[in-house]
Amino acid sequence: AANKAVSNADLLIAVGVRFDDRVTGRLSSFAPKATIVHIDIDPTSIHKNVNVRIPVVGDCRNSLVAIREHLAAREPLPWKERIAAWQGQLDEWKQEQPITWTPGETTIKPQEVIKAVDKITEGKAILTTEVGQHQMWAAQLYNFTEPRTLLTSGGLGTMGYGFPAAIGAQFAYPNKLVIDVSGDGSFQMNLQELITAVSTKTGLTKGETEKTVNALLKIVSDELVASGQISLNGLGTFVVVHRGAHPGRNPRTGEQIS
């Protein structure tokens, strides 16, 4: 639906984007019907990859406020009915081609885990992501209910971003559940930050958030038992920054540690 929207739109307002090849695909067929407005504070980014009709160099916030004030002076807007029809078309495309996947028969697919996270947290957790396909799945399949709760490096592609970002988010919101959706490669880039999380005692303590974590782990473990598998092929790594997790043992002495 999103690709169809870009291909059929008559106006595309791009705010602070790079138009990298992962977004545009083949440049000759990108947004062929659209007048493109590109807003960016960096003038070298304008026309760098895509030729635009209306370049706007400036702070994104100030530029959008100025556009809004300009439109407010022109009320009533003549294209409101066209926008309503366009929204209806978008809804139709979403129904025709929803995001789907085939559930695994012997393994748990990453999409299923993210949907389980969404169900248990009711879309109220803060999610951070690393870089890769899981980044797309998190954005597409988790139903965020609050603004500013998806922390991701976007097209910048910063592997290793998610875990430190989760620690920072937990500092800012100590009573919220923070989950880092990660691939094994990204996690290995900054797994040493586990020391930061432990030494600063970053994390959740008790209460509803702990119940959420336990319920999520139960869903995953139940699925593993039901399928007779312990393999999480393709799942990558899910990290919950959490204090007071299950106790472990010192490998040398056997003494229980928290």
Side-chain angles (χ1 to χ4, degrees):
N3 288 332
K4 280 193 172 184
V6 172
S7 296
N8 289 277
D10 60 5
L11 175 64
L12 193 63
I13 302 177
V15 183
V17 301
R18 295 187 301 140
F19 287 117
D20 61 279
D21 57 357
R22 295 189 183 187
V23 171
T24 63
R26 190 168 54 212
L27 288 174
S28 60
S29 58
F30 175 72
K33 303 176 183 179
T35 295
I36 300 178
V37 180
H38 189 184
I39 305 173
D40 203 294
I41 199 168
D42 179 8
T44 64
S45 294
I46 306 290
H47 301 298
K48 183 176 181 179
N49 296 322
V50 173
N51 288 322
V52 300
R53 177 73 176 276
I54 303 175
V56 179
V57 178
D59 179 273
C60 292
R61 178 190 293 271
N62 295 339
S63 299
L64 291 172
V65 168
I67 292 174
R68 184 182 64 188
E69 292 174 349
H70 177 72
L71 293 176
R74 298 187 59 186
E75 289 281 0
L77 300 176
W79 55 80
K80 279 192 173 181
E81 292 184 2
R82 291 174 58 193
I83 291 178
W86 172 246
Q87 188 62 59
Q89 177 65 78
L90 295 179
D91 292 339
E92 185 177 321
W93 284 334
K94 290 178 183 178
Q95 293 294 326
E96 291 176 356
Q97 296 181 317
I99 298 173
T100 59
W101 71 90
T102 303
E105 295 182 1
T106 60
T107 58
I108 301 174
K109 289 196 172 181
Q111 297 95 321
E112 296 176 90
V113 175
I114 292 176
K115 292 303 291 183
V117 172
D118 177 54
K119 180 179 179 180
I120 292 298
T121 64
E122 298 179 341
K124 297 178 181 178
I126 296 176
L127 260 62
T128 69
T129 78
E130 305 289 352
V131 176
Q133 191 63 58
H134 66 269
Q135 185 181 22
M136 307 300 108
W137 288 324
Q140 293 170 340
L141 300 175
Y142 191 85
N143 295 309
F144 296 92
T145 59
E146 300 174 8
R148 302 171 69 85
T149 51
L150 171 61
L151 307 181
T152 180
S153 65
L156 195 59
T158 310
M159 292 180 67
Y161 164 85
F163 186 38
I167 294 174
Q170 198 70 84
F171 266 115
Y173 295 95
N175 295 320
K176 289 186 71 73
L177 178 64
V178 181
I179 299 175
D180 174 26
V181 185
S182 178
D184 56 345
S186 291
F187 182 58
Q188 289 181 58
M189 298 188 74
N190 266 330
L191 60 83
Q192 70 274 11
E193 296 302 336
L194 286 168
I195 300 172
T196 303
V198 172
S199 63
T200 58
K201 298 182 179 180
T202 306
L204 311 174
T205 51
K206 298 184 181 297
E208 293 303 315
T209 51
E210 192 170 62
K211 293 178 184 177
T212 298
V213 174
N214 291 335
L216 174 59
L217 293 176
K218 186 176 187 303
I219 283 181
V220 175
S221 61
D222 286 350
E223 289 289 340
L224 287 172
V225 172
S227 64
Q229 298 287 320
I230 58 171
S231 171
L232 297 180
N233 292 339
L235 173 62
T237 308
F238 266 72
V239 178
V240 181
V241 182
H242 185 257
R243 186 179 64 201
H246 299 289
R249 292 186 180 278
N250 186 308
R252 293 183 177 178
T253 65
E255 180 184 359
Q256 182 170 298
I257 57 176
S258 297

